[in-house]
Amino acid sequence: SQQGEEDPQALSIQEGENATMNCSYKTSINNLQWYRQNSGRGLVHLILIRSNEREKHSGRLRVTLDTSKKSSSLLITASRAADTASYFCATDAEGAQKLVFGQGTRLTINP
Amino acid sequence: GAVVSQHPSWVICKSGTSVKIECRSLDFQATTMFWYRQFPKQSLMLMATSNEGSKATYEQGVEKDKFLINHASLTLSTLTVTSAHPEDSSFYICSALTHLGHQPQHFGDGTRLSIL
């Protein structure tokens, strides 16, 4: 199955700075999700945004969704070393239960 | 809530061995579970969708006779890699949806499989 694109593929910033990751997808969706994966572990759900929503917040996370451009962004504010992980967007392509994952962004927060 | 347990977390075995990986939903009923494969520094690739009491639906290119999936109860799905070879070495991750079928998916911690 086709997967979405994420950019950047890797991002390295200093602790305290903000990190922004982008995701693009190809098909119509019901919702888009962001997940975090620590090295060698499973995925942790961060936030879900529905197709009729444009922005959503959860703690230090801010997600935007532009369905006209088929794109989303994840902003992590005031980053911490513990935020170091890979971040994936995932869409329920055409309303199916299964998810299509983006290529992921490897985020490194330097202390 | 919504905890998914995957076992084993790590397995090394000889070529030709069959390996079974379990995925359990601990505090909810999961009518639908998913099995993914992930190569180093790559994204997750869906292998199959497992529905309780019915045959799994495999993604294109995934050999169903090689990767046997059983979802015999509302809390357990198993993936058996039959006659494993070194090219089957990978990180396998399961996820589950609650019986309501609503997102998000809840993921296990993955199984690292190494075939010698």
Side-chain angles (χ1 to χ4, degrees):
Chain A
S1 58
Q2 288 186 321
Q3 292 187 316
E5 299 288 327
E6 286 190 61
D7 80 275
Q9 290 189 346
L11 178 62
S12 181
I13 61 174
Q14 293 300 120
E15 196 167 21
E17 295 179 340
N18 296 341
T20 300
M21 290 158 270
N22 302 296
C23 163
S24 61
Y25 56 92
K26 300 180 188 301
T27 65
S28 61
I29 62 171
N30 284 340
N31 59 67
L32 183 144
Q33 303 176 58
W34 285 90
Y35 288 85
R36 183 185 75 223
Q37 184 181 34
N38 290 88
S39 182
R41 304 294 298 275
L43 273 68
V44 174
H45 179 256
L46 296 177
I47 198 164
L48 180 152
I49 186 166
R50 303 192 188 286
S51 60
N52 61 354
E53 298 176 308
R54 291 297 167 259
E55 188 172 311
K56 203 162 184 179
H57 297 255
S58 177
R60 294 184 295 113
L61 306 180
R62 172 177 171 257
V63 168
T64 62
L65 178 64
D66 187 335
T67 53
S68 66
K69 296 181 180 178
K70 291 187 168 58
S71 68
S72 174
S73 68
L74 170 67
L75 168 67
I76 303 174
T77 61
S79 64
R80 305 168 181 169
D83 295 329
T84 294
S86 291
Y87 291 82
F88 295 92
C89 67
T91 55
D92 59 341
E94 298 173 319
Q97 285 187 327
K98 63 183 183 181
L99 296 178
V100 176
F101 282 85
Q103 293 299 312
T105 294
R106 291 190 306 278
L107 176 65
T108 302
I109 308 299
N110 302 303
Chain B
V3 177
V4 174
S5 173
Q6 194 170 334
H7 177 81
S9 57
W10 177 62
V11 60
I12 300 176
C13 58
K14 293 180 179 179
S15 185
T17 307
S18 291
V19 178
K20 180 184 283 188
I21 303 170
E22 293 186 346
C23 181
R24 293 180 185 274
S25 56
L26 298 186
D27 52 0
F28 67 100
Q29 294 183 331
T31 51
T32 304
M33 290 184 171
F34 303 89
W35 288 95
Y36 297 87
R37 184 172 182 176
Q38 185 179 33
F39 290 106
K41 297 187 178 180
Q42 293 190 24
S43 188
L44 280 72
M45 293 295 296
L46 180 66
M47 299 174 67
T49 302
S50 168
N51 291 295
E52 186 267 337
S54 64
K55 291 183 179 180
T57 302
Y58 290 81
E59 294 299 302
Q60 191 172 7
V62 178
E63 299 176 59
K64 61 181 181 181
D65 295 330
K66 174 74 171 176
F67 299 100
L68 299 179
I69 292 172
N70 183 278
H71 193 159
S73 79
L74 285 172
T75 59
L76 174 65
S77 176
T78 60
L79 167 68
T80 301
V81 183
T82 61
S83 186
H85 291 285
E87 58 266 28
D88 299 321
S89 298
S90 190
F91 192 57
Y92 293 88
I93 310 176
C94 71
S95 70
L97 287 174
T98 68
H99 69 282
L100 297 175
H102 296 162
Q103 299 289 348
Q105 293 183 14
H106 305 283
F107 284 81
D109 259 351
T111 297
R112 183 155 308 280
L113 175 62
S114 296
I115 308 298
L116 304 177

